[in-house]
């Protein structure tokens, strides 16, 4: 599954276009490598996403084409969440 689509379906980022922008800015890595919006993600991959003042590390648990809002968090597991200090 494409990275931008996973981020939208999992509701980590609300819109696919915004997910593409974040990936193109180099703020997302998959298993330690910089990711593009078109990068493929698989179950077991580790994502590191930089959101403004925090860095979130996730592990992908499942991939689905569509999920309900309350089931979206079952697609990933938050490994750690850190605040970034300047």
């Amino acid at each position: 599954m494409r990275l931008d689509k996973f981020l939208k379906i999992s509701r980590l980022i609300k819109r696919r276009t915004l997910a593409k922008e974040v990936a193109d800015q180099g703020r997302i890595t998959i298993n330690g490598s910089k990711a593009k919006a078109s990068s493929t993600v698989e179950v077991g991959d580790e994502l590191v996403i930089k959101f403004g003042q925090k860095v979130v590390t996730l592990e992908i648990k499942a991939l689905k084409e569509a999920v309900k809002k309350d089931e979206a968090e079952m697609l990933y597991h938050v490994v750690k969440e850190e605040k970034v200090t300047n």
Side-chain angles (χ1 to χ4, degrees):
M1 176 180 287
R2 285 175 56 108
L3 174 63
D4 55 350
K5 186 172 183 180
F6 174 78
L7 293 171
K8 179 189 177 292
I9 289 172
S10 64
R11 291 170 173 79
L12 288 164
I13 297 179
K14 293 187 186 232
R15 294 183 319 258
R16 195 164 171 180
T17 53
L18 183 59
K20 181 183 182 323
E21 288 176 22
V22 171
D24 290 346
Q25 292 170 359
R27 293 170 35 196
I28 302 176
T29 61
I30 300 173
N31 298 326
S33 302
K34 285 201 177 204
K36 295 181 182 177
S38 61
S39 298
T40 303
V41 294
E42 298 176 3
V43 174
D45 283 352
E46 182 181 81
L47 297 180
V48 178
I49 307 171
K50 295 175 183 133
F51 293 106
Q53 295 299 313
K54 67 180 178 178
V55 177
V56 181
T57 304
L58 313 162
E59 181 183 347
I60 297 176
K61 291 291 187 188
L63 297 174
K64 294 186 179 179
E65 290 298 316
V67 292
K68 295 179 180 165
K69 188 176 183 179
D70 55 339
E71 296 173 353
E73 286 188 12
M74 295 186 336
L75 297 179
Y76 61 90
H77 167 70
V78 177
V79 176
K80 66 180 175 181
E81 195 171 323
E82 305 171 287
K83 288 200 183 276
V84 176
T85 54
N86 294 341

